[in-house]
Amino acid sequence: MFRGKNYKESVKLVDKAALYDPMEALGLVCSASKAKFDETVELHVKLGVDGRHADQQVRGAIVLPNGTGKTVRVLCFCMPELVDEALAAGADYAGGAELVEKIQKENWFEFDTVIAHPKMMGVIGRLGKVLGPKGLMPSPKAGTVNANVAQAIKEAKAGKVEYRLDKTNIIHCPIGKVSFGAEKLFENYAALIGAIIKAKPATAKGQYIRSCVTASTMGPGVKINAQKQL
């Protein structure tokens, strides 16, 4: 794989064999960022569970203390009487069947998060095949199906992130931008890792957190000693 000059320079800063303390690791990620844009910092956590079993699924959502640094466009499916409330809470779009039709007919996806009132799930159920693969289908577990749509919208705008296992039992989640600096990134990291630990299934055996790596969009991965007490 071809690597650019900036990446090669960044790699020299990181000892691939080392397990870094969280704060040190996040400081390294910031130092190794050479891109001309504000890179997103992600956390990749491999868990000692088998996500193929329903009782070993790890999934949830958390509002990061310092947000994600990303402007989130929110679509809210709600009844007509709640549209004004949803827009006032910060939703970029709010409505019902007409928005379902817009997505179906125009292949419209000018949004990053979908919030839905429980009573609207029957209306948007037919969007499962298009929203599901994009990770946009509202879910009670993620707090995106909520009778209090205003609260759910405010949380999404404030930097709420969903964490869930992929097919290889790894959680991939953004924890901010390089411009946040190590301290704010650490606060977000601590909140996310704490939530993942709290979500440990009762049936999980052996070592729960197998590995933990952080990296910026264009930078090298830095291994974190996740066993280090927060």
Side-chain angles (χ1 to χ4, degrees):
M1 183 186 291
F2 175 76
R3 298 291 193 183
K5 187 175 80 171
N6 285 346
Y7 182 88
K8 289 174 181 175
E9 288 297 315
S10 298
V11 165
K12 293 175 185 176
L13 300 174
V14 180
D15 180 350
K16 284 189 175 181
L19 274 181
Y20 292 93
D21 285 354
M23 182 72 89
E24 188 181 1
L26 292 163
L28 266 176
V29 166
C30 294
S31 300
S33 173
K34 306 292 185 186
K36 292 179 181 177
F37 62 95
D38 193 5
E39 297 179 61
T40 294
V41 178
E42 288 197 340
L43 197 65
H44 308 277
V45 187
K46 184 169 181 61
L47 299 181
V49 297
D50 188 345
R52 292 174 298 177
H53 301 293
D55 61 356
Q56 290 195 39
Q57 274 293 329
V58 179
R59 182 179 183 180
I62 182 174
V63 178
L64 297 176
N66 300 299
T68 62
K70 180 184 176 185
T71 301
V72 180
R73 299 168 299 173
V74 177
L75 165 62
C76 178
F77 285 109
C78 59
M79 294 78 81
E81 63 269 23
L82 292 178
V83 167
D84 287 345
E85 182 183 336
L87 293 172
D92 296 88
Y93 312 97
E98 74 282 5
L99 291 176
V100 173
E101 195 172 323
K102 187 175 175 69
I103 291 168
Q104 288 180 316
K105 291 186 175 179
E106 300 176 26
N107 200 30
W108 175 71
F109 291 100
E110 302 282 317
F111 48 87
D112 308 298
T113 297
V114 181
I115 306 293
H117 190 284
K119 289 183 179 177
M120 297 300 293
M121 290 308 290
V123 178
I124 67 172
R126 58 183 182 273
L127 290 176
K129 287 183 179 178
V130 291
L131 293 183
K134 294 178 181 290
L136 291 170
M137 193 65 184
S139 153
K141 284 187 178 177
T144 44
V145 176
N146 196 327
N148 188 342
V149 292
Q151 181 189 346
I153 291 163
K154 286 173 183 173
E155 287 179 349
K157 287 285 187 178
K160 188 173 191 176
V161 293
E162 183 182 357
Y163 56 88
R164 61 188 301 180
L165 291 174
D166 69 5
K167 290 179 181 177
T168 58
N169 301 312
I170 298 175
I171 288 172
H172 308 274
C173 212
I175 56 169
K177 297 283 188 179
V178 166
S179 61
F180 282 20
E183 202 164 308
K184 284 187 175 180
L185 287 170
F186 175 76
E187 288 172 0
N188 282 355
Y189 158 83
L192 179 59
I193 280 290
I196 292 171
I197 291 170
K198 198 174 178 181
K200 179 181 178 180
T203 52
K205 306 295 181 189
Q207 187 178 349
Y208 180 51
I209 296 182
R210 295 283 176 85
S211 67
C212 184
V213 177
T214 184
S216 62
T217 309
M218 307 291 286
V222 182
K223 295 177 184 175
I224 292 178
N225 179 4
Q227 308 306 319
K228 192 80 176 176
Q229 289 301 310
L230 296 172

